[in-house]
Amino acid sequence: MQKTTDEFIDTVEIEQPIVCDAPNDQIAKETLIGSNLKYLVVGIMFGIVFVKAEIISWYRIQEMFRLHSFHMYGVIGTAVVVGIISVWIIKRFNIKTIQGEQVVFHNKQFHWGTVVGGFMFGLGWAITGACPGPLFAQIGSGFLVVIVTLLSAIAGTWVYGLVKEKLPH
Amino acid sequence: MIELIRHPWPWYVAGAVIGLTVPVLLLIGNKHLGISSSLRHLCAACFPANISFFKYDWKREIWNLFFVGGVLIGSFLAVQFLRDPAGVVISEKTISDLQALNVQVDANLMPVSIFSFDNLFTLQGLLFFVVGGFMVGFGTRYAGGCTSGHTIMGISNLQWPSVVASCFFMLGGFVMVQLIFPWLMKVL
C-alpha cells in the first residue's frame, strides 16, 4: 500500500484481480440500455477526438516512433497529466459518483506479462497503427479491412486466455 | 466555429479530452478506462469455450462494449461530418522515410495502398492485419492493459507497473519501426 493512499482513509483500495483489468465497481443496479447509454455517449466523444486529433492515423504512429513529431507525445502526455490531477482531486476531496458511491481504485500488479506482453503489444501497435481503441475507430472511419485486424486481436486475446496458465506471470 | 472543429485538433485539446475521460467514467458510474478489456468481454460473450479466463459475468462489464461501440460511431461521425479537406499532414521526414520503403503516402488517415481488401490475402496483409492484430490482442491482455488502461488510467492512479508497461509499449514500437519494419518492407 502506498503511503499517499493512507492519507485518504475514505478511499477504497482493492487489489487486482477483480474480474477484469477495467472493472465495473458500481454497486447500484444498472439497466442494460438506460444505464449504459451514457458510456456510448462518452465513447462517441472519444471516437471523435481519435479522428480529429489523428491519433488513429497509421502515419502519426510511424511519425511518433521515428521521433519526427511531438504530436502524439503531446496528446499522451497531456492526457496523463490531466488524468493524474483528476484522480488526485477525486481522492483528495473524496468526490462521490453520481450514484453517491465511493470511487474505487485498483492497484495494477507487476508480472512478466507487463514486460513481455507490453513489448509484444508495442510491436503490434507500430505495425497496425492502432491500439485497441483506435482499431474500432479505424473501422468507423471507413477502413473496413481493419475488421480483420480486430478479429485477429480478439483471437489473440482468446489464445492468451487459453495458454495463460503456461505463461510466466 | 465549425471551421475550427474541422481542422485537425491540437495535441493539448485532444490530450485534455482524453485525460478527462478518466474522471468522467469514474464519476458517472465507477468505471475504469481500459479499452482492451472489450476484446476479452467479446471473447467471454461469444466463445468462452470453457476457458476459466473467460468465465465471468461479462454482462456486468457490458458498459465497456457500449463505450467501444461509441468510439466506432464517433469516428464514423467525425469522418462523415467533420472531415478536414486538407487531409492528414505529417512530417516531411516521415514522408521521405516511408517513400524510401516503397510506402505510397496519401492524405488519408492510413495508406490506402496497404489497408485495403485487395491486400488481404498477400503476405503484407497477413503481416499488417493478422499478425499485427494478434500481437495487439495477445500483448495487451498479457500486459494487463493497453495505452488506455495502463498509460492513461494506470499512470493517473500512480501505478508503477503501468509506467513499466508503457515503457515497453514504446520500446516495442521503436523496435518495430526502426529495426523490423524496414526489413519487412524490403522482403515483402
Side-chain angles (χ1 to χ4, degrees), chain B:
Chain B
M1 183 66 192
I2 193 82
E3 274 309 304
L4 199 64
I5 294 174
R6 268 179 195 279
H7 282 298
W9 295 4
W11 53 267
Y12 45 87
V13 174
V17 175
I18 292 172
L20 283 174
T21 313
V22 169
V24 166
L25 288 176
L26 287 172
L27 295 177
I28 65 176
N30 242 329
K31 306 292 189 283
H32 299 253
L33 178 65
I35 300 183
S36 62
S37 292
S38 66
L39 304 174
R40 182 177 172 188
H41 304 328
L42 288 170
C43 287
C46 302
F47 14 80
N50 219 16
I51 298 169
S52 63
F53 190 64
F54 300 121
K55 277 196 271 186
Y56 60 93
D57 184 13
W58 60 270
K59 287 184 185 138
R60 184 174 157 72
E61 311 298 329
I62 205 159
W63 72 274
N64 205 304
L65 299 178
F66 276 81
F67 184 74
V68 294
V71 170
L72 211 144
I73 297 170
S75 59
F76 175 80
L77 294 176
V79 167
Q80 293 301 314
F81 302 110
L82 303 171
R83 174 169 245 162
D84 181 16
V88 178
V89 182
I90 54 167
S91 114
E92 288 295 330
K93 277 195 232 153
T94 304
I95 294 176
S96 57
D97 277 12
L98 288 174
Q99 280 169 343
L101 296 169
N102 286 324
V103 176
Q104 291 174 33
V105 179
D106 54 30
N108 293 298
L109 284 165
M110 306 164 78
V112 177
S113 59
I114 294 174
F115 291 89
S116 73
F117 279 104
D118 297 338
N119 230 354
L120 185 53
F121 296 105
T122 64
L123 272 177
Q124 216 181 46
L126 183 78
L127 180 79
F128 277 81
F129 314 139
V130 181
V131 178
F134 190 91
M135 289 197 289
V136 169
F138 191 100
T140 51
R141 202 69 282 119
Y142 193 12
C146 58
T147 349
S148 59
H150 267 312
T151 311
I152 299 178
M153 182 65 224
I155 298 182
S156 293
N157 192 28
L158 307 178
Q159 296 298 304
W160 69 267
S162 294
V163 179
V164 176
S166 304
C167 290
F168 279 92
F169 298 166
M170 297 304 294
L171 185 67
F174 280 115
V175 168
M176 175 55 80
V177 166
Q178 304 283 345
L179 304 174
I180 307 175
F181 186 72
W183 176 77
L184 282 172
M185 290 307 281
K186 271 192 206 112
V187 179
L188 299 177

Side-chain angles (χ1 to χ4, degrees), chain A residues 131-166:
Chain A
C131 3
L135 277 183
F136 291 94
Q138 288 178 347
I139 297 168
S141 56
F143 287 88
L144 296 182
V145 75
V146 178
I147 292 171
V148 177
T149 316
L150 177 65
L151 289 175
S152 191
I154 295 170
T157 304
W158 190 85
V159 171
Y160 170 73
L162 186 70
V163 300
K164 182 176 184 282
E165 303 306 325
K166 298 190 182 85

